[in-house]
Amino acid sequence: MTDVIFFDLDGTLVDHRSAVLETIGRVVRDAPGATAPAEELVALWWALEARHMREYLAGECSFAEHHRRRVRSFLPALGEAVPTTPELLDAWVAERYLGPFAESWQCYPDVLPCLDALSRLPRGPRLAVLTNGDPGQQRAKLARFGLLEHFEAVLTPTELGTAKPAAYAAACRLMGTDPARAVNVGDMLESDVHAADRAGLTGIWLDRGIDFVTGGPSPTPVEPVLRIESLTDLPGQRAG
């Protein structure tokens, strides 16, 4: 019987990719001195996000600094001068990116029906969010859509001291459960499913029909995986 279900957040509960692309698309449209076509600038931001997020998760910089590193690399291509102090960089991030980004968040329509169905199960599993994101930003997303009350815990590298994949073992310890009785649900085939399986959990792939990184079609698994196309398929599959 499943004791705990961990949910990834970005790409699973909240549409992170669309929010990023909408926000940066707006930034690019408002930059008359851009040195590259709009689609190249959006792709550049996406690549910088991935690169500097990895540095943050590796403990090489703070969450704020990972944003500053993105902006330092991005602004020359945007045709803008790079602010000379951390404070000015932070101001650019807050005004030009984080504010509009938060306005662009959208919760997937299958999330609340799934959580409501799980809450009605007799002896249903405990629920937690397990995300590599910043705790303040991730909690703000959950609060925006009334999701916080559904979860016993919101676990990030700040609480666990490590990011996925090592976070799976740490999350199970914190929740007081055996990995064999835990499920992890997420949209990333490697980090949410295969890595969870290797840690002893049951990984379930939420295949939303798009590759989170490339925006192209979903990847093809090289080995069989548990797969759902909507979170509403989850309660009947593994929550008993």
Side-chain angles (χ1 to χ4, degrees), residues 38-197:
E39 60 271 18
E40 291 184 17
L41 290 169
V42 172
L44 172 62
W45 179 270
W46 191 250
L48 291 170
E49 174 179 307
R51 178 193 307 168
H52 296 305
M53 189 66 177
R54 286 193 296 269
E55 294 169 352
Y56 162 67
L57 294 174
E60 298 174 13
C61 64
S62 68
F63 194 68
E65 176 59 24
H66 110 281
H67 276 132
R68 296 176 195 134
R69 292 181 179 185
R70 283 197 229 175
V71 173
R72 289 189 189 103
S73 298
F74 185 69
L75 285 184
L78 200 64
E80 295 187 15
V82 178
T84 56
T85 68
E87 292 77 16
L88 290 174
L89 284 165
D90 291 345
W92 192 100
V93 170
E95 179 181 348
R96 301 280 295 280
Y97 181 67
L98 289 180
F101 176 56
E103 294 173 2
S104 301
W105 294 338
Q106 294 186 51
C107 181
Y108 291 108
D110 55 358
V111 175
L112 279 171
C114 168
L115 298 177
D116 288 340
L118 289 172
S119 71
R120 293 193 297 268
L121 289 174
R123 300 174 61 194
R126 296 180 291 148
L127 308 180
V129 171
L130 178 55
T131 169
N132 278 347
D134 170 73
Q137 188 179 76
Q138 301 301 66
R139 285 181 173 275
K141 292 174 186 176
L142 296 168
R144 166 82 61 82
F145 302 110
L147 302 180
L148 272 175
E149 63 191 50
H150 291 272
F151 296 104
E152 184 174 320
V154 179
L155 305 177
T156 75
T158 299
E159 289 81 18
L160 299 173
T162 189
K164 302 176 189 177
Y168 290 115
C172 287
R173 288 194 297 270
L174 191 147
M175 295 294 291
T177 193
D178 189 290
R181 299 184 62 202
V183 167
N184 188 73
V185 182
D187 65 297
M188 298 288 282
L189 191 54
E190 173 55 36
S191 60
D192 291 325
V193 182
H194 294 320
D197 287 340

Side-chain angles (χ1 to χ4, degrees), residues 114 185-186 204-208 225-235 237:
C114 168
V185 182
I204 296 182
W205 182 31
L206 174 60
D207 178 9
R208 293 197 177 278
V225 297
L226 291 172
R227 173 181 170 275
I228 57 176
E229 294 183 352
S230 169
L231 285 175
T232 54
D233 298 332
L234 178 66
Q237 182 168 359

